[in-house]
Amino acid sequence: GENVEQHPSTLSVQEGDSAVIKCTYSDSASNYFPWYKQELGKRPQLIIDIRSNVGEKKDQRIAVTLNKTAKHFSLHITETQPEDSAVYFCAARPYSGGGADGLTFGKGTHLIIQP
Amino acid sequence: KAGVTQTPRYLIKTRGQQVTLSCSPISGHRSVSWYQQTPGQGLQFLFEYFSETQRNKGNFPGRFSGRQFSNSRSEMNVSTLELGDSALYLCASRKNRESEAFFGQGTRLTVV
């Protein structure tokens, strides 16, 4: 089955700086890669996703890049703000003959924005 | 549009008991997936239902089961509870099997 590795487990950056979180996946059949943000005590919320036919996607201060050959994808947050502090999860979803399967998540990155 | 609703929000059960959790998906969504979240293992996929059929299953013992009704609402059952089953159980719904997943707030299960 799919295996997703996520690094780092904790990331502390100064407010206004950029943050980068990296994930690798193992199953070449995976074709969908979402990123979720989870604040303490709240549900995971989708912040951006990318499909395997695209190399990069941007949404304001957030961007995701995908390298299918190397099987890795990254989340980039620019001009970080205090409200960006949360745990971020990457995920991969394989596509089997019967349709898309469940999400396999990385272990999460605790992003801390220092004022 | 109402989001994904899970009930109850909190549960305390004793070892050996069984428990049933409920998930109501976003209106029009036909796929419901269940995940277990723990500090040690993170978010782990339990199973997915689409149009009342279980489509795939994660690596969990047979004590974990589920079902989906014709209105797309889903229930998850855990029998013979163990201390290690203490976790946040999240469900997520999708409009179809190719679209993005939206999570409910979860049910916090504590087994004592």
PDB file of all heavy atoms in Angstrom, chain B residues 57-90:
ATOM      1  N   LYS B  57     -10.586  -0.713   2.450  1.00  0.00           N
ATOM      2  CA  LYS B  57     -10.427  -0.847   3.897  1.00  0.00           C
ATOM      3  C   LYS B  57      -8.963  -0.703   4.245  1.00  0.00           C
ATOM      4  O   LYS B  57      -8.086  -1.189   3.529  1.00  0.00           O
ATOM      5  CB  LYS B  57     -10.933  -2.239   4.300  1.00  0.00           C
ATOM      6  CG  LYS B  57     -11.110  -2.472   5.776  1.00  0.00           C
ATOM      7  CD  LYS B  57     -11.753  -3.835   5.999  1.00  0.00           C
ATOM      8  CE  LYS B  57     -12.032  -4.237   7.401  1.00  0.00           C
ATOM      9  NZ  LYS B  57     -11.455  -3.595   8.511  1.00  0.00           N
ATOM     10  N   GLY B  58      -8.719  -0.030   5.347  1.00  0.00           N
ATOM     11  CA  GLY B  58      -7.363   0.103   5.839  1.00  0.00           C
ATOM     12  C   GLY B  58      -6.952  -1.110   6.647  1.00  0.00           C
ATOM     13  O   GLY B  58      -7.660  -2.109   6.721  1.00  0.00           O
ATOM     14  N   ASN B  59      -5.810  -1.000   7.289  1.00  0.00           N
ATOM     15  CA  ASN B  59      -5.235  -2.129   8.006  1.00  0.00           C
ATOM     16  C   ASN B  59      -5.661  -2.127   9.473  1.00  0.00           C
ATOM     17  O   ASN B  59      -4.856  -1.867  10.369  1.00  0.00           O
ATOM     18  CB  ASN B  59      -3.700  -2.062   7.883  1.00  0.00           C
ATOM     19  CG  ASN B  59      -3.046  -3.324   8.367  1.00  0.00           C
ATOM     20  OD1 ASN B  59      -3.666  -4.378   8.372  1.00  0.00           O
ATOM     21  ND2 ASN B  59      -1.811  -3.223   8.787  1.00  0.00           N
ATOM     22  N   PHE B  60      -6.918  -2.388   9.703  1.00  0.00           N
ATOM     23  CA  PHE B  60      -7.463  -2.439  11.051  1.00  0.00           C
ATOM     24  C   PHE B  60      -8.134  -3.798  11.270  1.00  0.00           C
ATOM     25  O   PHE B  60      -8.607  -4.422  10.320  1.00  0.00           O
ATOM     26  CB  PHE B  60      -8.490  -1.316  11.270  1.00  0.00           C
ATOM     27  CG  PHE B  60      -7.868   0.004  11.614  1.00  0.00           C
ATOM     28  CD1 PHE B  60      -7.363   0.825  10.614  1.00  0.00           C
ATOM     29  CD2 PHE B  60      -7.780   0.424  12.929  1.00  0.00           C
ATOM     30  CE1 PHE B  60      -6.771   2.041  10.923  1.00  0.00           C
ATOM     31  CE2 PHE B  60      -7.205   1.643  13.257  1.00  0.00           C
ATOM     32  CZ  PHE B  60      -6.697   2.446  12.244  1.00  0.00           C
ATOM     33  N   PRO B  61      -8.179  -4.256  12.538  1.00  0.00           N
ATOM     34  CA  PRO B  61      -8.803  -5.573  12.796  1.00  0.00           C
ATOM     35  C   PRO B  61     -10.301  -5.566  12.513  1.00  0.00           C
ATOM     36  O   PRO B  61     -10.932  -4.514  12.397  1.00  0.00           O
ATOM     37  CB  PRO B  61      -8.524  -5.805  14.288  1.00  0.00           C
ATOM     38  CG  PRO B  61      -8.213  -4.465  14.859  1.00  0.00           C
ATOM     39  CD  PRO B  61      -7.606  -3.654  13.760  1.00  0.00           C
ATOM     40  N   GLY B  62     -10.853  -6.782  12.427  1.00  0.00           N
ATOM     41  CA  GLY B  62     -12.259  -6.943  12.098  1.00  0.00           C
ATOM     42  C   GLY B  62     -13.211  -6.371  13.137  1.00  0.00           C
ATOM     43  O   GLY B  62     -14.414  -6.258  12.882  1.00  0.00           O
ATOM     44  N   ARG B  63     -12.682  -5.982  14.313  1.00  0.00           N
ATOM     45  CA  ARG B  63     -13.537  -5.353  15.329  1.00  0.00           C
ATOM     46  C   ARG B  63     -14.079  -4.012  14.844  1.00  0.00           C
ATOM     47  O   ARG B  63     -15.067  -3.505  15.374  1.00  0.00           O
ATOM     48  CB  ARG B  63     -12.736  -5.111  16.617  1.00  0.00           C
ATOM     49  CG  ARG B  63     -12.179  -6.357  17.266  1.00  0.00           C
ATOM     50  CD  ARG B  63     -11.501  -6.025  18.591  1.00  0.00           C
ATOM     51  NE  ARG B  63     -10.350  -5.149  18.468  1.00  0.00           N
ATOM     52  CZ  ARG B  63     -10.333  -3.867  18.841  1.00  0.00           C
ATOM     53  NH1 ARG B  63     -11.411  -3.308  19.362  1.00  0.00           N
ATOM     54  NH2 ARG B  63      -9.233  -3.148  18.714  1.00  0.00           N
ATOM     55  N   PHE B  64     -13.419  -3.458  13.855  1.00  0.00           N
ATOM     56  CA  PHE B  64     -13.850  -2.179  13.291  1.00  0.00           C
ATOM     57  C   PHE B  64     -14.698  -2.467  12.051  1.00  0.00           C
ATOM     58  O   PHE B  64     -14.228  -3.129  11.114  1.00  0.00           O
ATOM     59  CB  PHE B  64     -12.639  -1.323  12.897  1.00  0.00           C
ATOM     60  CG  PHE B  64     -11.840  -0.841  14.068  1.00  0.00           C
ATOM     61  CD1 PHE B  64     -10.906  -1.662  14.679  1.00  0.00           C
ATOM     62  CD2 PHE B  64     -12.014   0.454  14.553  1.00  0.00           C
ATOM     63  CE1 PHE B  64     -10.169  -1.218  15.764  1.00  0.00           C
ATOM     64  CE2 PHE B  64     -11.273   0.909  15.630  1.00  0.00           C
ATOM     65  CZ  PHE B  64     -10.357   0.072  16.244  1.00  0.00           C
ATOM     66  N   SER B  65     -15.902  -2.005  12.063  1.00  0.00           N
ATOM     67  CA  SER B  65     -16.786  -2.226  10.919  1.00  0.00           C
ATOM     68  C   SER B  65     -17.629  -0.984  10.687  1.00  0.00           C
ATOM     69  O   SER B  65     -17.664  -0.073  11.516  1.00  0.00           O
ATOM     70  CB  SER B  65     -17.689  -3.441  11.159  1.00  0.00           C
ATOM     71  OG  SER B  65     -18.537  -3.206  12.272  1.00  0.00           O
ATOM     72  N   GLY B  66     -18.286  -0.974   9.547  1.00  0.00           N
ATOM     73  CA  GLY B  66     -19.116   0.187   9.256  1.00  0.00           C
ATOM     74  C   GLY B  66     -20.219  -0.167   8.298  1.00  0.00           C
ATOM     75  O   GLY B  66     -20.328  -1.311   7.824  1.00  0.00           O
ATOM     76  N   ARG B  67     -21.032   0.825   8.024  1.00  0.00           N
ATOM     77  CA  ARG B  67     -22.053   0.662   7.001  1.00  0.00           C
ATOM     78  C   ARG B  67     -22.505   2.035   6.543  1.00  0.00           C
ATOM     79  O   ARG B  67     -22.259   3.051   7.213  1.00  0.00           O
ATOM     80  CB  ARG B  67     -23.233  -0.146   7.533  1.00  0.00           C
ATOM     81  CG  ARG B  67     -23.942   0.440   8.745  1.00  0.00           C
ATOM     82  CD  ARG B  67     -25.112  -0.435   9.133  1.00  0.00           C
ATOM     83  NE  ARG B  67     -25.745   0.016  10.366  1.00  0.00           N
ATOM     84  CZ  ARG B  67     -26.921  -0.449  10.797  1.00  0.00           C
ATOM     85  NH1 ARG B  67     -27.570  -1.366  10.102  1.00  0.00           N
ATOM     86  NH2 ARG B  67     -27.446  -0.010  11.916  1.00  0.00           N
ATOM     87  N   GLN B  68     -23.173   2.038   5.402  1.00  0.00           N
ATOM     88  CA  GLN B  68     -23.703   3.290   4.870  1.00  0.00           C
ATOM     89  C   GLN B  68     -25.150   3.057   4.468  1.00  0.00           C
ATOM     90  O   GLN B  68     -25.485   2.023   3.879  1.00  0.00           O
ATOM     91  CB  GLN B  68     -22.876   3.774   3.666  1.00  0.00           C
ATOM     92  CG  GLN B  68     -23.299   5.155   3.176  1.00  0.00           C
ATOM     93  CD  GLN B  68     -22.476   5.625   1.992  1.00  0.00           C
ATOM     94  OE1 GLN B  68     -22.038   4.837   1.174  1.00  0.00           O
ATOM     95  NE2 GLN B  68     -22.257   6.929   1.919  1.00  0.00           N
ATOM     96  N   PHE B  69     -25.959   4.021   4.759  1.00  0.00           N
ATOM     97  CA  PHE B  69     -27.388   3.914   4.468  1.00  0.00           C
ATOM     98  C   PHE B  69     -27.715   4.576   3.126  1.00  0.00           C
ATOM     99  O   PHE B  69     -26.876   5.272   2.540  1.00  0.00           O
ATOM    100  CB  PHE B  69     -28.186   4.555   5.606  1.00  0.00           C
ATOM    101  CG  PHE B  69     -27.913   3.916   6.945  1.00  0.00           C
ATOM    102  CD1 PHE B  69     -26.968   4.454   7.811  1.00  0.00           C
ATOM    103  CD2 PHE B  69     -28.575   2.762   7.341  1.00  0.00           C
ATOM    104  CE1 PHE B  69     -26.694   3.863   9.046  1.00  0.00           C
ATOM    105  CE2 PHE B  69     -28.313   2.173   8.566  1.00  0.00           C
ATOM    106  CZ  PHE B  69     -27.365   2.719   9.410  1.00  0.00           C
ATOM    107  N   SER B  70     -28.940   4.393   2.694  1.00  0.00           N
ATOM    108  CA  SER B  70     -29.331   4.904   1.370  1.00  0.00           C
ATOM    109  C   SER B  70     -29.297   6.428   1.309  1.00  0.00           C
ATOM    110  O   SER B  70     -29.179   7.013   0.240  1.00  0.00           O
ATOM    111  CB  SER B  70     -30.738   4.396   1.003  1.00  0.00           C
ATOM    112  OG  SER B  70     -31.675   4.788   1.981  1.00  0.00           O
ATOM    113  N   ASN B  71     -29.360   7.102   2.469  1.00  0.00           N
ATOM    114  CA  ASN B  71     -29.270   8.574   2.476  1.00  0.00           C
ATOM    115  C   ASN B  71     -27.821   9.056   2.639  1.00  0.00           C
ATOM    116  O   ASN B  71     -27.574  10.227   2.879  1.00  0.00           O
ATOM    117  CB  ASN B  71     -30.140   9.156   3.599  1.00  0.00           C
ATOM    118  CG  ASN B  71     -29.705   8.704   4.973  1.00  0.00           C
ATOM    119  OD1 ASN B  71     -28.774   7.896   5.114  1.00  0.00           O
ATOM    120  ND2 ASN B  71     -30.359   9.193   6.010  1.00  0.00           N
ATOM    121  N   SER B  72     -26.885   8.125   2.491  1.00  0.00           N
ATOM    122  CA  SER B  72     -25.433   8.365   2.571  1.00  0.00           C
ATOM    123  C   SER B  72     -24.897   8.512   3.992  1.00  0.00           C
ATOM    124  O   SER B  72     -23.687   8.556   4.172  1.00  0.00           O
ATOM    125  CB  SER B  72     -24.988   9.573   1.730  1.00  0.00           C
ATOM    126  OG  SER B  72     -25.192   9.305   0.363  1.00  0.00           O
ATOM    127  N   ARG B  73     -25.744   8.597   4.981  1.00  0.00           N
ATOM    128  CA  ARG B  73     -25.265   8.617   6.367  1.00  0.00           C
ATOM    129  C   ARG B  73     -24.517   7.321   6.654  1.00  0.00           C
ATOM    130  O   ARG B  73     -24.856   6.261   6.101  1.00  0.00           O
ATOM    131  CB  ARG B  73     -26.431   8.779   7.337  1.00  0.00           C
ATOM    132  CG  ARG B  73     -26.012   9.034   8.780  1.00  0.00           C
ATOM    133  CD  ARG B  73     -27.217   9.225   9.692  1.00  0.00           C
ATOM    134  NE  ARG B  73     -27.956   8.002   9.895  1.00  0.00           N
ATOM    135  CZ  ARG B  73     -27.695   7.093  10.825  1.00  0.00           C
ATOM    136  NH1 ARG B  73     -26.661   7.278  11.653  1.00  0.00           N
ATOM    137  NH2 ARG B  73     -28.436   6.010  10.935  1.00  0.00           N
ATOM    138  N   SER B  74     -23.503   7.429   7.481  1.00  0.00           N
ATOM    139  CA  SER B  74     -22.686   6.242   7.749  1.00  0.00           C
ATOM    140  C   SER B  74     -22.531   6.049   9.254  1.00  0.00           C
ATOM    141  O   SER B  74     -22.568   7.010  10.029  1.00  0.00           O
ATOM    142  CB  SER B  74     -21.314   6.396   7.088  1.00  0.00           C
ATOM    143  OG  SER B  74     -20.471   5.300   7.384  1.00  0.00           O
ATOM    144  N   GLU B  75     -22.381   4.823   9.644  1.00  0.00           N
ATOM    145  CA  GLU B  75     -22.077   4.479  11.029  1.00  0.00           C
ATOM    146  C   GLU B  75     -20.819   3.624  11.063  1.00  0.00           C
ATOM    147  O   GLU B  75     -20.549   2.847  10.142  1.00  0.00           O
ATOM    148  CB  GLU B  75     -23.227   3.682  11.665  1.00  0.00           C
ATOM    149  CG  GLU B  75     -24.458   4.502  11.952  1.00  0.00           C
ATOM    150  CD  GLU B  75     -25.547   3.692  12.631  1.00  0.00           C
ATOM    151  OE1 GLU B  75     -25.470   2.445  12.653  1.00  0.00           O
ATOM    152  OE2 GLU B  75     -26.500   4.330  13.130  1.00  0.00           O
ATOM    153  N   MET B  76     -20.078   3.810  12.145  1.00  0.00           N
ATOM    154  CA  MET B  76     -18.901   2.985  12.373  1.00  0.00           C
ATOM    155  C   MET B  76     -19.083   2.291  13.710  1.00  0.00           C
ATOM    156  O   MET B  76     -19.522   2.918  14.683  1.00  0.00           O
ATOM    157  CB  MET B  76     -17.650   3.857  12.409  1.00  0.00           C
ATOM    158  CG  MET B  76     -16.365   3.074  12.424  1.00  0.00           C
ATOM    159  SD  MET B  76     -14.949   4.098  12.801  1.00  0.00           S
ATOM    160  CE  MET B  76     -14.837   3.821  14.542  1.00  0.00           C
ATOM    161  N   ASN B  77     -18.756   1.017  13.762  1.00  0.00           N
ATOM    162  CA  ASN B  77     -18.913   0.242  14.987  1.00  0.00           C
ATOM    163  C   ASN B  77     -17.558  -0.349  15.399  1.00  0.00           C
ATOM    164  O   ASN B  77     -16.809  -0.825  14.538  1.00  0.00           O
ATOM    165  CB  ASN B  77     -19.925  -0.886  14.767  1.00  0.00           C
ATOM    166  CG  ASN B  77     -20.215  -1.644  16.043  1.00  0.00           C
ATOM    167  OD1 ASN B  77     -20.911  -1.166  16.914  1.00  0.00           O
ATOM    168  ND2 ASN B  77     -19.649  -2.832  16.168  1.00  0.00           N
ATOM    169  N   VAL B  78     -17.281  -0.265  16.672  1.00  0.00           N
ATOM    170  CA  VAL B  78     -16.088  -0.939  17.200  1.00  0.00           C
ATOM    171  C   VAL B  78     -16.566  -1.879  18.304  1.00  0.00           C
ATOM    172  O   VAL B  78     -17.222  -1.439  19.256  1.00  0.00           O
ATOM    173  CB  VAL B  78     -15.053   0.038  17.766  1.00  0.00           C
ATOM    174  CG1 VAL B  78     -13.766  -0.699  18.131  1.00  0.00           C
ATOM    175  CG2 VAL B  78     -14.769   1.166  16.781  1.00  0.00           C
ATOM    176  N   SER B  79     -16.261  -3.155  18.174  1.00  0.00           N
ATOM    177  CA  SER B  79     -16.678  -4.135  19.178  1.00  0.00           C
ATOM    178  C   SER B  79     -15.496  -4.474  20.084  1.00  0.00           C
ATOM    179  O   SER B  79     -14.330  -4.221  19.741  1.00  0.00           O
ATOM    180  CB  SER B  79     -17.207  -5.402  18.499  1.00  0.00           C
ATOM    181  OG  SER B  79     -16.181  -6.001  17.732  1.00  0.00           O
ATOM    182  N   THR B  80     -15.788  -5.010  21.225  1.00  0.00           N
ATOM    183  CA  THR B  80     -14.775  -5.455  22.193  1.00  0.00           C
ATOM    184  C   THR B  80     -13.668  -4.408  22.321  1.00  0.00           C
ATOM    185  O   THR B  80     -12.495  -4.630  22.005  1.00  0.00           O
ATOM    186  CB  THR B  80     -14.158  -6.806  21.764  1.00  0.00           C
ATOM    187  OG1 THR B  80     -15.168  -7.663  21.229  1.00  0.00           O
ATOM    188  CG2 THR B  80     -13.523  -7.496  22.965  1.00  0.00           C
ATOM    189  N   LEU B  81     -14.058  -3.246  22.797  1.00  0.00           N
ATOM    190  CA  LEU B  81     -13.141  -2.108  22.875  1.00  0.00           C
ATOM    191  C   LEU B  81     -11.897  -2.426  23.698  1.00  0.00           C
ATOM    192  O   LEU B  81     -11.952  -3.111  24.730  1.00  0.00           O
ATOM    193  CB  LEU B  81     -13.861  -0.913  23.485  1.00  0.00           C
ATOM    194  CG  LEU B  81     -14.822  -0.177  22.544  1.00  0.00           C
ATOM    195  CD1 LEU B  81     -15.747   0.737  23.346  1.00  0.00           C
ATOM    196  CD2 LEU B  81     -14.054   0.607  21.493  1.00  0.00           C
ATOM    197  N   GLU B  82     -10.769  -1.884  23.214  1.00  0.00           N
ATOM    198  CA  GLU B  82      -9.489  -1.991  23.905  1.00  0.00           C
ATOM    199  C   GLU B  82      -9.023  -0.578  24.252  1.00  0.00           C
ATOM    200  O   GLU B  82      -9.453   0.400  23.627  1.00  0.00           O
ATOM    201  CB  GLU B  82      -8.461  -2.674  23.002  1.00  0.00           C
ATOM    202  CG  GLU B  82      -8.862  -4.076  22.579  1.00  0.00           C
ATOM    203  CD  GLU B  82      -7.865  -4.706  21.617  1.00  0.00           C
ATOM    204  OE1 GLU B  82      -6.868  -4.031  21.280  1.00  0.00           O
ATOM    205  OE2 GLU B  82      -8.094  -5.858  21.207  1.00  0.00           O
ATOM    206  N   LEU B  83      -8.115  -0.496  25.254  1.00  0.00           N
ATOM    207  CA  LEU B  83      -7.611   0.815  25.663  1.00  0.00           C
ATOM    208  C   LEU B  83      -7.007   1.561  24.472  1.00  0.00           C
ATOM    209  O   LEU B  83      -7.142   2.779  24.339  1.00  0.00           O
ATOM    210  CB  LEU B  83      -6.574   0.663  26.775  1.00  0.00           C
ATOM    211  CG  LEU B  83      -7.080   0.103  28.102  1.00  0.00           C
ATOM    212  CD1 LEU B  83      -5.926  -0.037  29.094  1.00  0.00           C
ATOM    213  CD2 LEU B  83      -8.167   0.986  28.688  1.00  0.00           C
ATOM    214  N   GLY B  84      -6.343   0.815  23.591  1.00  0.00           N
ATOM    215  CA  GLY B  84      -5.689   1.411  22.433  1.00  0.00           C
ATOM    216  C   GLY B  84      -6.633   1.967  21.393  1.00  0.00           C
ATOM    217  O   GLY B  84      -6.199   2.620  20.446  1.00  0.00           O
ATOM    218  N   ASP B  85      -7.927   1.729  21.561  1.00  0.00           N
ATOM    219  CA  ASP B  85      -8.907   2.280  20.615  1.00  0.00           C
ATOM    220  C   ASP B  85      -9.251   3.724  20.955  1.00  0.00           C
ATOM    221  O   ASP B  85      -9.974   4.386  20.186  1.00  0.00           O
ATOM    222  CB  ASP B  85     -10.191   1.437  20.631  1.00  0.00           C
ATOM    223  CG  ASP B  85      -9.962   0.013  20.157  1.00  0.00           C
ATOM    224  OD1 ASP B  85      -9.019  -0.200  19.370  1.00  0.00           O
ATOM    225  OD2 ASP B  85     -10.713  -0.880  20.589  1.00  0.00           O
ATOM    226  N   SER B  86      -8.742   4.209  22.087  1.00  0.00           N
ATOM    227  CA  SER B  86      -8.964   5.609  22.441  1.00  0.00           C
ATOM    228  C   SER B  86      -8.350   6.500  21.368  1.00  0.00           C
ATOM    229  O   SER B  86      -7.159   6.393  21.069  1.00  0.00           O
ATOM    230  CB  SER B  86      -8.334   5.930  23.799  1.00  0.00           C
ATOM    231  OG  SER B  86      -8.974   5.205  24.822  1.00  0.00           O
ATOM    232  N   ALA B  87      -9.153   7.361  20.786  1.00  0.00           N
ATOM    233  CA  ALA B  87      -8.690   8.162  19.654  1.00  0.00           C
ATOM    234  C   ALA B  87      -9.774   9.155  19.264  1.00  0.00           C
ATOM    235  O   ALA B  87     -10.898   9.099  19.757  1.00  0.00           O
ATOM    236  CB  ALA B  87      -8.371   7.264  18.454  1.00  0.00           C
ATOM    237  N   LEU B  88      -9.390  10.026  18.337  1.00  0.00           N
ATOM    238  CA  LEU B  88     -10.375  10.890  17.671  1.00  0.00           C
ATOM    239  C   LEU B  88     -10.752  10.193  16.371  1.00  0.00           C
ATOM    240  O   LEU B  88      -9.875   9.866  15.566  1.00  0.00           O
ATOM    241  CB  LEU B  88      -9.766  12.264  17.382  1.00  0.00           C
ATOM    242  CG  LEU B  88     -10.663  13.262  16.664  1.00  0.00           C
ATOM    243  CD1 LEU B  88     -11.835  13.670  17.571  1.00  0.00           C
ATOM    244  CD2 LEU B  88      -9.873  14.499  16.238  1.00  0.00           C
ATOM    245  N   TYR B  89     -12.028   9.917  16.185  1.00  0.00           N
ATOM    246  CA  TYR B  89     -12.493   9.265  14.969  1.00  0.00           C
ATOM    247  C   TYR B  89     -13.133  10.326  14.074  1.00  0.00           C
ATOM    248  O   TYR B  89     -14.096  10.993  14.456  1.00  0.00           O
ATOM    249  CB  TYR B  89     -13.464   8.132  15.291  1.00  0.00           C
ATOM    250  CG  TYR B  89     -12.743   6.971  15.939  1.00  0.00           C
ATOM    251  CD1 TYR B  89     -12.564   6.918  17.317  1.00  0.00           C
ATOM    252  CD2 TYR B  89     -12.182   5.967  15.161  1.00  0.00           C
ATOM    253  CE1 TYR B  89     -11.860   5.876  17.909  1.00  0.00           C
ATOM    254  CE2 TYR B  89     -11.482   4.921  15.744  1.00  0.00           C
ATOM    255  CZ  TYR B  89     -11.324   4.891  17.115  1.00  0.00           C
ATOM    256  OH  TYR B  89     -10.614   3.860  17.685  1.00  0.00           O
ATOM    257  N   LEU B  90     -12.562  10.448  12.895  1.00  0.00           N
ATOM    258  CA  LEU B  90     -13.003  11.463  11.939  1.00  0.00           C
ATOM    259  C   LEU B  90     -13.652  10.805  10.736  1.00  0.00           C
ATOM    260  O   LEU B  90     -13.188   9.772  10.263  1.00  0.00           O
ATOM    261  CB  LEU B  90     -11.800  12.280  11.456  1.00  0.00           C
ATOM    262  CG  LEU B  90     -11.127  13.190  12.483  1.00  0.00           C
ATOM    263  CD1 LEU B  90      -9.703  13.493  12.081  1.00  0.00           C
ATOM    264  CD2 LEU B  90     -11.906  14.492  12.629  1.00  0.00           C
TER     265      LEU B  90
END
